[in-house]
Amino acid sequence: MTSITMEEESKLLIVLPGDQLPESGLMEDSSAAHRLTLGPGLAPMDDDSITAVKAGILKHNAVGNRWWVESNQRRYVAAQGESIIGVVTGKSAEHYKVDIGASQPALLGVLAFEGATKRNKPNHNIGDLLYCRVSMANKDMEAELECMNPTTGKADGFGELKGGFVIKISLGLARRLLDPKNLVLRLLGQHIPFEMAVGTNGKVWVNSASAQHTILICNAIRNSEYLNSAECGSMVKSLVEKM
């Protein structure tokens, strides 16, 4: 087991299973301790230390003081607070079963929607596409989902995705698309109006004014995975010119 120094934390940091992260590096001050959120790839140990449990790049989001390990694993593992895209595969009086690409389906309560009550609840059918938030994740239980922001009680974009087209991409690329500074999405937005939902489970929903535009956007997203900034610019320009 190796220990990561504070000097390394300021750089692009690759961690391996067993690497131990210093507590002082994860929290700016002691008062933030209760707000520390561990995402995929990190786990607390019995001695109160935090250890990487998979290989990847250590990432941090100041909102919620969230830390996680970004990797390009093949199967999605649900983590609390993540936004995902799933397909309804079953329904009962109390919940929907949703395929999220994990080892088992997730559960979505019929009341886990904005304004839902026992008398007034949404009616989704098998095959419907939903944009959800993981409200609870445990390796020994089915993940639980919700279609609303737990802070505001509003939908805030969660719910059924109608129309459009869904593509499957790698988990690593999906997390990069969630970056507000993602280059390929900014370049596409300069030429084509479109709306999109990105799930950390590797599914992307794209909707635009025409099928031609939607296909172009999907191709650009897939092509961008292994391109640098200059190559992304050239690729998008080439696709737009051909259109």
Side-chain angles (χ1 to χ4, degrees), residues 2-22:
T2 60
S3 181
I4 298 167
T5 65
M6 292 299 294
E7 292 182 359
E8 292 176 309
E9 290 185 34
S10 62
K11 304 175 183 178
L12 180 65
L13 184 58
I14 296 176
V15 295
L16 299 174
D19 284 353
Q20 193 174 88
L21 282 64

Side-chain angles (χ1 to χ4, degrees), residues 35-55:
R35 295 196 301 270
L36 176 64
T37 304
L38 299 182
L42 297 175
M45 299 291 106
D46 293 336
D47 59 357
D48 293 331
S49 64
I50 297 172
T51 302
V53 293
K54 67 180 181 181

